[in-house]
């Protein structure tokens, strides 16, 4: 077995025989012509034809991968029509009296060299776009056919590099995976492969050094290519491929279907994310909304307090990506086990019971202000909800809401847009919040139960202490009774209640959650479909009494 | 002539897609659009020239708009930049 490494740019595993894509290295010999005007005319005609082809490719891509990625071909059209390119071609033709194809080739080589020499990794990749366009023009001018791909059956495509149009035009039925010797994760073909869901690895040095005979396994998550895999590797990947397939099958069967029980109770399946980049996975795995967007990432990855502008961009990005789906942002939850170097929390004997989350925000208003202003500004771009962590007293909720109202007024005076329908919720994670949940429910729009901290505080058991890990149990009756009380109080006030802690995806507890009428479960994207399948199989009316009895008594 | 300054917020800089969208937006305007960054100046309606600038994240670009409708056109571009760059 031989193993080669590159950069995985599109996840997934696949096994199959290798096929080669012959990217023709186009070299056009310099050819002098008598009639430069006729060549200019040929170039003009070829440009029109290329434009037609690109329009068609754009339409095809639009259907296959959507507007966001299809734009690549619009961009190609603009490059084609850019005077800097066409003027250079025309200059070569008229002053050097060369053929149109030579003029195109020469101009393209110059532009490619220009992009290739830029000290920006991303812009370097644009040389491939220029190559794609000039290759198209030259094929039109010389009457050569399409670049050749030999795919007699299903398999893995090996190539030096692929242009975006080669990628979109591939036979998707046959190409199971893509491996290229050049390219980077920034190349448009990598982005297209990702959108098409074809595992792909780029930048595999030595890939084409010797011909590959026999089977290949590629691991797009890890970026490795296994040539003639041994028995053990084959077995490992057969299992991975089967698990992947089962997941996909679940997706195919359940995607778009409602999370409704047999007797018609609807549960909203939302996702927890910690970084704006994870929003794409939410939609991919069929999450309806974001039930917990941990805002700490903004603080943890930065060397100083993130600015209002930085935060605004991140929140807006997620709101826009969710296309109107609700996004619940939890305000800053630092302290206890989460620290950043630029915020000194002081020495604490009991950090878990100390200066953290909303307690920091209400005492260091400047920090809170920056975040709330960023959230308000972002609220104009989607359905935003805000929730406050670690609430233990009614006063904390009131103070936070009052401050939010003050900042709204400030923005209004500054003429900055924000939504006036932002829901404000409380994270239920302290026993105190549970005990006053009837009062909190009157003044909050929703509850979201954070089971990790609620378990720790209810049982007075540190979840990090392995010696008492048997006490820390999210299924403990005390914890589940807490959940029942909070849920009942929310419902009595006509408010909805969700669960966003780790045990939200505990399938054993699902029947209990439905029995107490939990309205929303927020879990990691991959847990959405398995939960949905379970929900669709439950009849709440029939199982309610048993579930309550089983878990609470 | 009116002008405004925009700080590039996109982590990847003024890369191909936003640059082409910017050029596309600029082309629809009657005003002339000139982009300055550091000591370089390019026509805001020309894609390759703009890509050549290679403007990076955090860099300031100064955009000049000139024409009969410059106020409104500048507003259009400013909106575009705030949303996309």
């Amino acid at each position: 077995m031989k193993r080669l490494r590159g950069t995985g740019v599109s996840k997934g595993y696949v096994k199959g025989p290798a096929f080669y894509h012959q990217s023709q290295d186009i070299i056009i010999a310099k050819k002098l012509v008598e009639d430069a005007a006729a060549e200019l005319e040929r170039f003009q005609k070829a440009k029109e034809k290329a434009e037609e082809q690109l329009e068609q490719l754009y339409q095809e891509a639009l259907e296959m991968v959507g507007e966001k990625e299809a734009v690549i071909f619009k961009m190609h059209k603009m490059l084609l029509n850019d005077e800097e390119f066409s003027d250079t071609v025309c200059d070569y033709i008229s002053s050097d009296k060369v053929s149109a194809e030579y003029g195109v080739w020469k101009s393209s080589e110059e532009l490619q060299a220009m992009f290739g020499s830029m000290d920006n990794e991303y812009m370097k990749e644009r040389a491939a776009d220029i190559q794609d366009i000039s290759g198209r023009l030259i094929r039109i001018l010389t009457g050569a056919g399409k670049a050749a791909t030999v795919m007699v059956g299903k398999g893995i495509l090996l190539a030096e590099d692929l242009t975006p149009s080669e990628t979109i035009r591939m036979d998707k039925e046959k190409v199971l995976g893509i491996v290229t010797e050049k390219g980077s994760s920034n190349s448009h073909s990598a982005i297209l492969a990702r959108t098409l869901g074809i595992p792909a690895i780029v930048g595999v040095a030595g890939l084409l050094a010797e011909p590959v005979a026999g089977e290949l396994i590629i691991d797009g998550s890890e970026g490795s290519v296994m040539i003639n895999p041994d028995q053990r590797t084959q077995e490992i990947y057969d299992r991975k491929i089967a698990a992947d397939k089962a997941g996909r099958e679940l997706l195919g069967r359940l995607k778009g279907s409602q999370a409704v029980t047999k007797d018609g109770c609807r549960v909203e399946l939302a996702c927890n994310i910690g970084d704006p980049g994870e929003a794409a996975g939410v939609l991919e795995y069929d999450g309806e909304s974001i039930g917990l967007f941990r805002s700490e990432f903004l603080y943890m990855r930065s060397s100083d307090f993130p600015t209002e502008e930085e935060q605004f961009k991140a929140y807006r990005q997620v709101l826009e990506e969710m296309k109107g789906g609700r996004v619940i942002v939890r305000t800053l939850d630092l302290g206890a086990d989460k620290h950043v170097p630029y915020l000194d929390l002081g020495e604490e004997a009991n950090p878990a019971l100390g200066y953290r989350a909303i307690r920091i925000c209400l005492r260091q208003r400047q920090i809170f202000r920056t975040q709330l202003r960023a959230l308000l500004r972002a609220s104009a771009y989607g359905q935003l909800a805000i929730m406050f962590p670690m609430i233990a007293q009614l006063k904390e909720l009131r103070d936070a809401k009052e401050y939010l109202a003050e900042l709204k007024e400030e923005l209004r005076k500054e003429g900055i847009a924000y939504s006036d329908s932002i829901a404000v919720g409380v994270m239920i994670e302290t026993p105190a919040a549970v005990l006053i949940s009837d009062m909190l429910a009157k003044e909050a729009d929703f509850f979201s139960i954070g089971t990790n901290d609620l378990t720790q505080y209810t049982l007075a058991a540190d979840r990090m202490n392995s010696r008492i890990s048997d006490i820390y149990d999210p299924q403990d009756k005390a914890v589940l009774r807490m959940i029942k009380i909070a849920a009942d109080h929310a419902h009595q006030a006509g408010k909805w209640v969700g669960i966003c802690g780790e045990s939200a995806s505990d399938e054993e507890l699902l029947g209990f959650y439905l029995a107490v009428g939990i309205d929303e479960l927020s879990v990691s994207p991959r847990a959405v479909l398995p939960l949905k399948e379970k929900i669709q199989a439950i009849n709440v009316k029939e199982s309610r009494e048993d579930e309550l009895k089983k878990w609470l008594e | 002539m009116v002008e405004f300054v925009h700080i590039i917020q996109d982590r990847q800089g003024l890369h191909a897609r936003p640059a082409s969208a910017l050029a596309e937006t600029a082309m629809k305007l009657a005003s002339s659009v000139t982009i300055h960054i550091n000591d370089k100046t390019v026509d805001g309606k020309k894609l390759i020239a703009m890509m050549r600038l290679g403007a990076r994240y955090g860099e300031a670009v100064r955009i000049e708009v000139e024409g009969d409708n410059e106020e409104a056109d500048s507003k259009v571009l400013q909106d575009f930049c705030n949303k996309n760059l």
Side-chain angles (χ1 to χ4, degrees), chain B residues 2 4 11 15 31 34-35 38 41 43 47 51 53 56 58-61 67 70-71 73 80 85:
Chain B
V2 290
F4 64 92
R11 295 263 167 191
H15 61 85
S31 310
T34 316
I35 298 181
N38 301 325
T41 302
D43 183 338
L47 176 56
M51 285 164 68
L53 280 178
R56 287 160 182 278
E59 281 187 324
V61 284
E70 56 192 29
E71 286 291 340
D73 286 354
F80 172 86
L85 299 180

Side-chain angles (χ1 to χ4, degrees), chain A residues 68-69 71-72 74-75 78-79 82-85 111 114-115 118-120 122-123 126 129-130 186 188 191 301 309-310 312-313 316 320 381, chain B residues 6 9 11-21 23-24 27 45-57 81-85:
Chain A
K68 197 169 156 222
E69 308 307 336
V71 163
I72 295 167
K74 243 192 192 169
M75 183 194 98
M78 287 182 79
L79 285 173
D82 197 294
E83 284 162 26
E84 184 169 345
F85 176 63
L111 268 180
M114 185 277 286
F115 280 122
M118 285 176 74
D119 61 345
N120 172 328
Y122 185 86
M123 293 314 282
R126 302 292 67 82
D129 292 307
I130 300 288
N186 285 330
H188 282 151
I191 297 170
R301 74 173 179 201
E309 198 60 31
E310 280 168 343
F312 162 67
K313 295 263 172 189
R316 189 184 84 177
E320 287 182 336
Y381 296 87
Chain B
H6 180 79
Q9 300 289 332
R11 295 263 167 191
Q12 303 246 32
L14 184 58
H15 61 85
R17 262 187 281 182
S20 65
E24 202 182 351
M27 273 191 247
K45 302 187 180 191
K46 302 252 168 85
L47 176 56
I48 296 178
M50 249 193 298
M51 285 164 68
R52 196 195 280 272
L53 280 178
R56 287 160 182 278
Y57 169 70
C81 290
N82 286 335
K83 264 203 189 128
N84 301 290
L85 299 180

Side-chain angles (χ1 to χ4, degrees), chain A residues 24-218:
Chain A
Q24 298 148 319
D25 240 343
I26 305 172
I27 297 174
I28 300 291
K30 185 167 180 176
K31 190 180 143 206
L32 295 178
V33 294
E34 294 282 308
D35 191 352
E39 288 305 302
L40 286 174
E41 174 75 22
R42 279 184 69 219
F43 173 58
Q44 200 50 45
K45 284 248 167 67
K47 239 177 79 176
E48 284 163 19
K49 179 96 182 121
E51 213 175 319
E52 273 171 36
Q53 292 180 352
L54 284 169
E55 178 58 33
Q56 204 191 334
L57 268 179
Y58 170 71
Q59 295 298 342
E60 280 176 32
L62 201 60
E63 265 188 36
M64 245 183 289
V65 293
E67 168 73 23
K68 197 169 156 222
E69 308 307 336
V71 163
I72 295 167
F73 298 106
K74 243 192 192 169
M75 183 194 98
H76 279 191
K77 221 160 102 178
M78 287 182 79
L79 285 173
L80 181 74
N81 283 318
D82 197 294
E83 284 162 26
E84 184 169 345
F85 176 63
S86 50
D87 283 1
T88 320
V89 177
C90 293
D91 264 1
Y92 272 117
I93 298 176
S94 21
S95 34
D96 293 5
K97 296 243 182 317
V98 292
S99 65
E101 42 272 59
Y102 183 76
V104 169
W105 180 71
K106 193 82 182 135
S107 313
S108 136
E109 292 284 300
E110 282 177 18
L111 268 180
Q112 283 183 51
M114 185 277 286
F115 280 122
S117 69
M118 285 176 74
D119 61 345
N120 172 328
E121 283 311 311
Y122 185 86
M123 293 314 282
K124 275 194 188 25
E125 283 297 327
R126 302 292 67 82
D129 292 307
I130 300 288
Q131 196 182 0
D132 200 357
I133 297 160
S134 56
R136 177 177 306 286
L137 281 168
I138 291 171
R139 281 196 301 274
I140 293 170
L141 284 164
T142 57
K146 289 172 192 156
T149 308
V150 203
M151 289 295 287
V152 285
K154 287 188 180 187
I156 294 161
L157 189 65
L158 308 188
E160 186 184 4
D161 205 353
L162 284 178
T163 63
S165 44
E166 283 165 344
T167 314
I168 200 86
R169 272 284 166 89
M170 279 177 330
D171 187 342
K172 258 70 69 185
E173 295 295 312
K174 288 184 177 168
V175 178
L176 304 174
I178 300 171
V179 188
T180 66
E181 196 169 77
K182 291 185 181 166
S184 80
S185 56
N186 285 330
S187 57
H188 282 151
S189 38
I191 297 170
L192 286 172
R194 204 145 55 218
T195 318
L196 290 167
I198 299 173
I201 302 171
V202 301
V204 181
L207 176 70
L208 304 173
E210 45 189 291
V212 174
E215 286 269 296
L216 277 185
I217 290 179
I218 72 170

Side-chain angles (χ1 to χ4, degrees), chain A residues 255-476:
Chain A
K255 194 165 181 179
S257 74
Q258 296 248 14
V260 179
T261 61
K262 277 186 174 163
D263 53 332
C265 295
R266 204 173 122 48
V267 183
E268 179 169 347
L269 288 177
C271 294
N272 298 344
I273 64 168
D275 182 289
E278 292 169 39
V282 174
L283 295 174
E284 187 188 340
Y285 291 105
D286 219 17
E288 298 169 53
S289 58
I290 290 175
L292 169 62
F293 179 11
R294 302 181 185 95
S295 58
E296 294 80 68
F297 82 96
L298 279 164
Y299 297 82
M300 310 281 267
R301 74 173 179 201
S302 144
S303 55
D304 200 348
F305 286 107
T307 64
E308 182 181 313
E309 198 60 31
E310 280 168 343
Q311 296 200 41
F312 162 67
K313 295 263 172 189
Y315 302 142
R316 189 184 84 177
Q317 186 192 332
V318 174
L319 282 161
E320 287 182 336
E321 219 158 317
M322 287 306 293
K323 302 182 179 81
R326 183 176 53 213
V327 177
I328 304 179
V329 178
R330 174 177 73 190
T331 59
L332 183 65
D333 189 23
L334 288 177
D337 54 342
K338 280 174 279 187
H339 288 267
V340 290
Y342 51 87
L343 175 62
D344 183 12
L345 299 172
E347 280 293 310
E348 294 184 290
N350 283 313
L353 305 181
Y355 194 48
R356 57 173 297 196
I358 194 73
R359 300 170 178 185
I360 299 176
C361 289
L362 289 174
R363 283 166 186 82
Q364 285 177 267
R365 291 286 173 109
Q366 198 53 43
I367 301 175
F368 206 19
R369 177 186 148 87
T370 307
Q371 180 169 40
L372 291 180
R373 275 185 60 105
L375 283 167
L376 286 172
R377 282 173 57 197
S379 70
Y381 296 87
Q383 195 192 339
L384 176 77
I386 299 175
M387 67 179 173
F388 303 119
M390 269 298 281
I391 294 283
Q393 301 172 308
L394 184 59
K395 185 174 182 307
E396 289 168 332
L397 172 64
R398 286 188 177 157
D399 286 353
K401 279 183 72 178
E402 194 182 297
Y403 194 48
L404 186 66
E406 256 174 56
L407 294 175
K408 278 187 186 170
E409 182 58 19
E410 198 177 286
L411 287 189
R412 197 185 58 78
K413 281 191 188 138
E414 289 171 29
I416 299 172
Y418 62 88
S419 158
D420 47 11
S421 57
I422 305 170
V424 174
V426 169
M427 268 198 85
I428 301 289
E429 44 190 349
T430 64
V434 172
L435 294 173
I436 58 164
S437 52
D438 52 335
M439 294 190 282
L440 291 171
K442 288 189 189 114
E443 298 184 31
D445 297 313
F446 64 93
F447 285 167
S448 186
I449 302 174
T451 49
N452 301 357
D453 271 330
L454 185 62
T455 305
Q456 149 161 301
Y457 293 129
T458 299
L459 298 165
D462 183 350
R463 61 189 302 234
M464 299 300 174
N465 190 334
S466 58
R467 294 171 79 176
I468 51 166
S469 60
D470 57 322
I471 303 178
Y472 178 91
D473 177 12
Q475 293 190 352
D476 190 281

